[in-house]
Amino acid sequence: MKEKSFQDEQFENIEYNLKTINEKIALSAEKSGRTRDDVRFMAVTKTVDVFRINKALDCGIDLIGENKVQEFLSKKPDLKLENVECHLIGHLQTNKVSKIVGEVDCIESVDSLKLANEISKQSSKLGITTNVLVEVNIGGEESKTGLPKELLEETLYRISELPSIKVVGLMTIPPFSQNNAQNRKFFSNMYNMYVDIRSKKIHNITMDILSMGMSGDYEDAIACGSNLVRIGSAIFGPRIY
């Protein structure tokens, strides 16, 4: 019998991991009074090669997220992206905005009015409207990007006045913790902010997406109201830098 190649083993692992994660998402959604279709599953492709990304796409993934502008642009020509949505989820510097606007469907990491202004400016040049999520630093960590929660509402009102940019939700990365109760506290606080903003019906702001939860905590995030989870290492294995 022919021995499996290393790539075959990797592909089998991806198939198994995707099946397992989808089952867990469905169960978590059901426990929170929703269905599997209410939660989107993003494959995070940071440091993952094109072959493994395309395998995930072949298995039904229809949303990918990349952290770095240059890494995404270098992979994009070789990815099977028909009917696939692409998000930028990593920190975006203003000097990289012109390179990524028009290349992705959504920028999830808008953490300042300055960045929103630049996205608006570059989108206007292309005659397009760019969907964005505003990133909130829910834990107030100095080491992390994201808007302080105290400035969220004011910043959203300012962004709402800009042309060619549309806020469609919020994103967060809570402080790292292996304590489920601690995770849920941050996720619940974020969900409450999301619901509060939605109730204000701000012009040009829609709260369609609440992006929170990653490989280690997505089940807790879904339990607390997340409708988009960003999962990388649980699909592809530990990152190799």
Side-chain angles (χ1 to χ4, degrees):
M1 190 171 73
K2 183 183 175 184
E3 283 190 25
K4 290 178 187 173
S5 69
F6 177 64
Q7 188 178 74
D8 287 338
E9 287 184 1
Q10 286 187 309
F11 284 1
E12 283 186 6
N13 287 340
I14 289 169
E15 288 179 9
Y16 175 79
N17 292 340
L18 289 173
K19 182 175 180 292
T20 301
I21 294 164
N22 269 307
E23 289 170 352
K24 289 181 177 180
I25 290 174
L27 187 60
S28 298
E30 187 179 326
K31 285 179 179 177
S32 67
R34 294 177 292 164
T35 70
R36 170 66 188 84
D37 291 339
D38 293 323
V39 181
R40 292 205 71 188
F41 174 8
M42 171 192 287
V44 176
T45 57
K46 179 181 180 181
T47 77
V48 181
D49 60 67
V50 165
F51 298 104
R52 288 186 294 154
I53 299 170
N54 280 334
K55 176 60 181 178
L57 298 177
D58 288 340
C59 291
I61 286 291
D62 62 0
L63 173 61
I64 64 170
E66 187 59 70
N67 287 66
K68 294 185 177 180
V69 171
Q70 197 52 50
E71 185 174 351
F72 175 71
L73 294 178
S74 67
K75 294 174 181 175
K76 188 178 182 183
D78 298 312
L79 294 175
K80 301 175 181 179
L81 294 179
E82 187 177 357
N83 301 317
V84 174
E85 197 173 321
C86 302
H87 291 197
L88 183 78
I89 61 174
H91 177 62
L92 177 60
Q93 297 171 307
T94 53
N95 64 356
K96 298 280 181 68
V97 170
S98 62
K99 293 181 171 66
I100 198 64
V101 163
E103 296 288 344
V104 292
D105 299 287
C106 182
I107 296 171
E108 290 203 13
S109 45
V110 174
D111 58 1
S112 68
L113 184 60
K114 179 184 176 185
L115 178 57
N117 266 307
E118 186 62 21
I119 293 170
S120 170
K121 175 183 166 186
Q122 297 299 333
S123 300
S124 293
K125 284 183 181 178
L126 295 176
I128 63 173
T129 296
T130 298
N131 287 337
V132 304
L133 305 185
V134 170
E135 181 181 359
V136 180
N137 186 344
I138 193 65
E141 298 173 279
E142 290 185 10
S143 61
K144 276 191 182 151
T145 56
L147 204 66
K149 57 187 179 182
E150 298 79 14
L151 298 180
L152 176 61
E153 188 173 334
E154 175 192 344
T155 304
L156 285 172
Y157 273 105
R158 299 283 296 278
I159 296 174
S160 74
E161 298 169 356
L162 298 174
S164 304
I165 182 173
K166 183 172 181 59
V167 176
V168 294
L170 304 176
M171 184 267 258
T172 197
I173 304 172
F176 174 76
S177 173
Q178 293 182 320
N179 182 315
N180 290 56
Q182 187 74 4
N183 286 337
R184 290 188 182 221
K185 184 185 84 168
F186 286 115
F187 289 141
S188 294
N189 288 345
M190 190 72 204
Y191 178 74
N192 290 337
M193 293 173 66
Y194 168 78
V195 171
D196 181 57
I197 294 296
R198 186 169 60 190
S199 72
K200 291 179 166 41
K201 294 181 167 57
I202 305 170
H203 167 71
N204 201 34
I205 305 284
T206 61
M207 290 290 107
D208 298 328
I209 299 172
L210 179 56
S211 174
M212 60 182 191
M214 300 188 291
S215 288
D217 57 17
Y218 66 90
E219 291 170 273
D220 285 327
I222 293 169
C224 296
S226 171
N227 60 19
L228 193 163
V229 291
R230 311 178 305 268
I231 302 175
S233 58
I235 304 170
F236 301 109
R239 291 195 180 106
I240 301 170
Y241 292 91

